[in-house]
Amino acid sequence: MSTVAPSTEALQAIAARINAGTAYTLDVKAEARELAVDPLEEVTELRVDVCHESEQQLFETIDAVDNTQHALRIWIRRKVAAITAEEIEPLRLLCRQILRQVDQYVTSDWRVRVWQAGFETQEVADKAMLYSQRMFVASITCEVQVKP
């Protein structure tokens, strides 16, 4: 039985999975954050944050404790010097690589499982933020279940 909250376990598992990726390199390791990320927060280097958004107790069996379902969001942010393909395309590729890294992921002990992951909108980067703040901001949503 785990000694941490299911939401913390889910955040830590997803952040560890992102950090274990070999198809990309991160300036700073992905962090699990209990607090919501402010997309307008000034960042100078590439940041990847995994944040918890909601939790729901599932009632699937007659057991005393059932799985919990968590909505997580992975934020990918970086200040860009110019809005050019040379700067934006590698970041868009990174977002897709992180999505592939976490989609359908299951921990080795089968306690944490990503049921669904994807981009919330068709835009891989928020164009309004890109043009007004020169900030690349993208997010991946994940539906994760944690066993008790």
Side-chain angles (χ1 to χ4, degrees):
M1 179 166 233
S2 179
T3 59
V4 298
S7 62
T8 302
E9 188 174 1
L11 288 172
Q12 291 172 346
I14 300 306
R17 177 68 176 175
I18 293 168
N19 290 330
T22 57
Y24 50 83
T25 304
L26 300 177
D27 297 346
V28 177
K29 288 187 179 255
E31 289 184 28
R33 296 178 63 172
E34 290 288 340
L35 301 174
V37 164
D38 178 5
L40 296 173
E41 174 187 358
E42 189 69 29
V43 295
T44 56
E45 58 193 352
L46 177 65
R47 286 205 44 132
V48 178
D49 295 303
V50 183
C51 301
H52 188 262
E53 294 195 333
S54 68
E55 179 175 339
Q56 177 183 357
Q57 182 70 45
L58 301 177
F59 300 101
E60 301 172 324
T61 65
I62 58 173
D63 292 339
V65 181
D66 283 318
N67 295 349
T68 53
Q69 183 166 317
H70 304 268
L72 305 182
R73 185 176 302 270
I74 302 166
W75 289 97
I76 300 108
R77 300 174 295 153
R78 182 172 180 219
K79 187 80 167 171
V80 294
I83 304 169
T84 62
E86 291 80 26
E87 278 217 55
I88 304 305
E89 287 306 314
L91 294 170
R92 292 180 69 193
L93 176 61
L94 173 66
C95 292
R96 298 207 179 279
Q97 290 169 326
I98 290 174
L99 173 62
R100 281 195 299 269
Q101 182 74 4
V102 300
D103 194 24
Q104 303 301 312
Y105 171 63
V106 180
T107 57
S108 59
D109 61 2
W110 285 82
R111 287 185 42 77
V112 178
R113 180 174 183 180
V114 177
W115 284 97
Q116 185 176 9
F119 298 107
E120 194 167 340
T121 65
Q122 292 302 319
E123 293 182 9
V124 175
D126 183 326
K127 289 183 180 158
M129 290 290 295
L130 190 58
Y131 288 105
S132 68
Q133 306 286 325
R134 293 214 183 269
M135 180 79 76
F136 179 92
V137 177
S139 68
I140 299 169
T141 57
C142 299
E143 294 297 325
V144 179
Q145 284 193 7
V146 179
K147 290 189 179 207

